[in-house]
Amino acid sequence: MARQYSLEKTRDIGIIAHIDAGKTTVSERILYYTGISHKIGEVHEGEAIMDWMVQERERGITITAAATTCFWTQTYSKNFKQEPKEYRINLIDTPGHIDFTAEVQRSLRVLDGAVVVFDGVAGVEPQSETVWRQADGYKVPRLCFINKLDRLGASFESSLASINERLTPNAVPIHLNIGLEDQFEGVIDLIRMKAIRFEGEKGEQIIEGEIPENLKTKAQNMRSHMIEKAAEQDDALLEKYLVNKELTEDEIRMGLRKGCLSYSLVPVLCGAALRNKGVQLVLDAVVDFLPSPLDLTESKPIKGINPRANTEVTRQPQDSEPFTALAFKVAADPFVGTLVYFRVYAGTLKKGSYTYNATKNEQERVGRILRMHANHREDVEQVYTGDIAALVGMKATTTGDTLCDEDKQIILEKPIFPEPVISMKVEPKTKADQEKMSIVLHKLQEEDPTFRVKTDEDTLETIIAGMGELHLDVLVDRMRREFNVAVNVGRPQVAYRETIKKPVEQEGKYIHQSGGRGQYGHVWLKLAPLERGKGFEFVNAIKGGIIPQSYIPAVEKGVKEAMGKGVLAGFPIVDMQVTLYDGSYHEVDSSEAAFKIAGSIALQEGAKKADVVLLEPIMKVEVIVPDRFLGDVTGDLSSKRAKIERMGERINLKVIDSFVPLAEMFGYATKLRSMTEGRGTFTMEFDHYEEVPRHIADLIVSGKKA
Ligand code: GDP
C-alpha cells in the first residue's frame, strides 16, 4: 500500500495550555469538525472523547497523551481555482496540568508544531509560561488561540498584550473579534478581510460577510501591521510590499508561514470553543502556518548517535531513508494490551516485520500497527515518515527508546524528564494486594518516567515519588481502579537533595591482603561543586595507566552509588563534579569490586569534609484572590518563606506570583479556602532547587521536620 498523504500534507501537532483554558473543548471541536466524531461530548458532561481514562473524566483533566489522526481541508479553499487539498493532522494530546511533566515533555519532543490555547479572561497564566519555555527548548513553532471570548471580562487586547509581554514580542494577530462576552459573534479574518460567523447547531456552517462598519478602521490598521510583519520575513515580499504597500492573500500566508517556522513570528487567533466559534479557523491556520515534517530539515534536523560507531548521524525525512522512530508513550490498553506510541522520523515500517530497539539492544517483532482515531482504531499495514501510530506486542520498548534498522542503527535524543520532588510511603491493604502491588508499581513506572518506586533500605517500606501531590494521587487511584490493588499511603514528603559547597580531595582505599587472593582498590578523587541543576559529572583524569582503564567504570559506579545516599541526612547528592586523578592497583589482588568500594569510600569520606548543605524544591506559585483578602494571603505567604515576585490585577481580583518552598505548601488548598471564604484559587509547579536555610536544615537533619 502506498502512502496516502504526502509529507507536505501532514501535520504532527499538539494543543498545549494552562489547565482549564479549554484544550479539551478545542480538541473535541477539532475532532467533530474533522468529521471523526459525530457527537460532541461536553467536558462538563464527562463525555469527552479524548479523555480515555475514568479519572480524567472525573477530574476534568486530560492525563494521557493519546495521539489521534484526523483530516482537514482549509475552509477558504473553496475559493481556490484548483482542487481543494486534504491534509492529515496527527493530534498529540498533552496534559494541561504541570504535575504531568513527563506527558508534556514527551509530547513536545515529538510534535512539529503546537496550538497554544489561552483563557481570554486570564490571558497568560503561569503554566502557559512554563510550557511556552519548554516549547522554546524543543524548538516548536506555534500559534496562539485566545479562547473563551464569550466569558464575562474577556478581552482579546489584554490577552494579546499579556502574550506580548510575558511570552514573545512577536505575536501577530491574524484575527479580530466581533463583539465580546455575551455579544461575541465571530471573528474578522484579517488576511481575507471578511467577517466570519459560525452558524448551525454546532457552528458547522461558516458564514462569510462584510466587516461591520465600526470595526473597519481597526481591522484595516491591524491588517497593515500583519502584512508588514509577513513582508519582513522574506526579501522578495518585502520589496514588493515597499513598492505596493499590499500583498496577495497567498503572499501574506507565505510570509506568515515563513516567520512562524523560523520562530520569528507567532500568529494569534481568537474564538470561543464552547460556543462553537473559531475552531475551524484554528485548523486552517494549523495547515497554513505550522510545519510539515519536511519543514524541519534545517531548523530541527533529525540527529542521533550511532551506538556502534559512537558517531553522530542524521536522517532526512524521507520514506527511502533507513527506518528511524521514537517511542514516546507506553499505555496499557484494556483491549489489546500494551500500546507503544511512536513517531516515524524517517523510513517506513511494515506490519509482520522486525525492528530494532537501539536503546535496549533488542530486536522487536512488529505484530500489529494501529492508527488511533478519536473513537476507533485502525489496523494499518505500513507506516511512513511523519506518521504517528501505536505498536502492539513490544517486549522491551519503553518511553524514549529509538526503533530503527538493525544495520543502520541510531539513537535519537530522549525527551528530558525532571527528577521527582515529592515522595510518599505506600503499603498494601491486604496480603493479596501485597503480591500485586510491586508488579503494578513496576508497570506504572514503565509508563511514566517521572514516577519512581524504591524500597527504603532501613525500613524496607515501599516509597513512590513523583512531580506533585496530584500526580501521586492519580497514580494511586489508577492502582485501585485499573489494577484492583488497594493501598494505604503515608504523608507526602519533600524530596530533599544534598550538595557540597567546597572542593576537596580525598583518598579511598579498600585493601585486604591477608592470605589467599586479596582485595586492592585505591583511588584519589577531587570533588567540586557544580552549578545548580547540573547534576553529576565524572571526569577521568588518570594518566599513564596508574589505574587500568578496565577498573575506571567500576570507580564511577561506586561513586554514583554512594551519591544516592548523602552524608548529611541520606538524601541523594547532586550538582557535583567528581574527578578521578590518582590511585594505584595490584596485579593480582585488584578487581572491579574492590575499585567500586574504594570509589564509594572516597566519595563518602570526601563529602563529609566538603561543607554539605540541604537543597529543597522551590515551587512557582500563583494565587488569585479577591482584593479584600490580599493582606491576609500575602501575610500568610510571607510566613511560608515565600519570595513574592509580582502582584497583578485581573478584573476585581489580585494575582500574586511567588516562589515558595514545597515543604511549606502541603495542605495549602484547604488553608487558602478558609482564608478566603472559598474564593481564592492557586496553581503551583516545581521550579528549581535552593539551599535550605541553616536553622530549618538542622530540624530536617535531626528528624524534627519532614
Ligand atoms: P482544559 O483543562 O484546558 O482541557 O479545558 P477544558 O476544555 O476542560 O475547559 C475548561 C472549562 O472551560 C470547561 O468547563 C469548559 O466548558 C469551559 N470552556 C472551554 N471553552 C470555553 C469557551 O470558549 N467559553 C466558555 N465560556 N467556557 C469554555
Side-chain angles (χ1 to χ4, degrees), residues 364-430:
E364 291 270 24
R365 201 184 118 75
V366 183
R368 284 171 77 187
I369 309 177
L370 299 176
R371 179 166 292 138
M372 314 302 281
H373 299 275
N375 55 357
H376 75 287
R377 48 188 98 220
E378 173 195 6
D379 266 284
V380 292
E381 292 297 315
Q382 191 169 5
V383 282
Y384 301 86
T385 300
D387 275 347
I388 291 180
L391 291 163
V392 184
M394 294 286 104
K395 289 192 313 268
T397 306
T398 54
T399 302
D401 290 357
T402 302
L403 299 172
C404 60
D405 275 5
E406 190 166 357
D407 313 335
K408 298 262 170 49
Q409 290 192 20
I410 180 168
I411 297 181
L412 297 167
E413 196 185 314
K414 274 193 180 204
I416 316 149
F417 299 117
E419 292 294 312
V421 291
I422 186 171
S423 67
M424 62 194 190
K425 178 174 89 180
V426 288
E427 58 186 26
K429 278 202 171 140
T430 67

Side-chain angles (χ1 to χ4, degrees), residues 15-29 42-45 48 51 59-62 93-97 117-121 145-152 184 271-277 279:
I15 300 179
I16 55 186
H18 183 95
I19 188 161
D20 259 7
K23 183 173 57 69
T24 311
T25 311
V26 172
S27 307
E28 284 291 325
R29 296 310 188 270
E42 298 300 350
V43 175
H44 55 256
E45 291 167 10
D51 285 7
R59 291 169 195 260
I61 51 175
T62 312
D93 196 17
T94 59
H97 201 287
V117 179
F118 298 90
D119 178 325
V121 179
F145 179 63
I146 299 176
N147 188 31
K148 300 199 186 183
L149 287 188
D150 63 310
R151 273 187 65 196
L152 196 64
F184 178 58
L274 187 67
R275 308 287 164 218
N276 307 310
K277 291 185 169 68
V279 177

Side-chain angles (χ1 to χ4, degrees), residues 87-162:
Y87 286 75
R88 171 146 79 199
I89 300 174
N90 294 312
L91 188 64
I92 299 153
D93 196 17
T94 59
H97 201 287
I98 214 78
D99 271 5
F100 304 99
T101 332
E103 302 284 347
V104 181
Q105 298 279 359
R106 69 168 136 234
S107 24
L108 284 175
R109 171 69 182 82
V110 294
L111 305 171
D112 292 341
V115 177
V116 188
V117 179
F118 298 90
D119 178 325
V121 179
V124 175
E125 294 169 90
Q127 287 169 9
S128 358
E129 221 172 332
T130 307
V131 181
W132 189 274
R133 306 277 168 246
Q134 289 169 338
D136 283 344
Y138 285 100
K139 290 195 158 182
V140 176
R142 61 214 91 139
L143 310 168
C144 294
F145 179 63
I146 299 176
N147 188 31
K148 300 199 186 183
L149 287 188
D150 63 310
R151 273 187 65 196
L152 196 64
S155 162
F156 182 57
E157 267 101 21
S158 62
S159 299
L160 178 66
S162 73

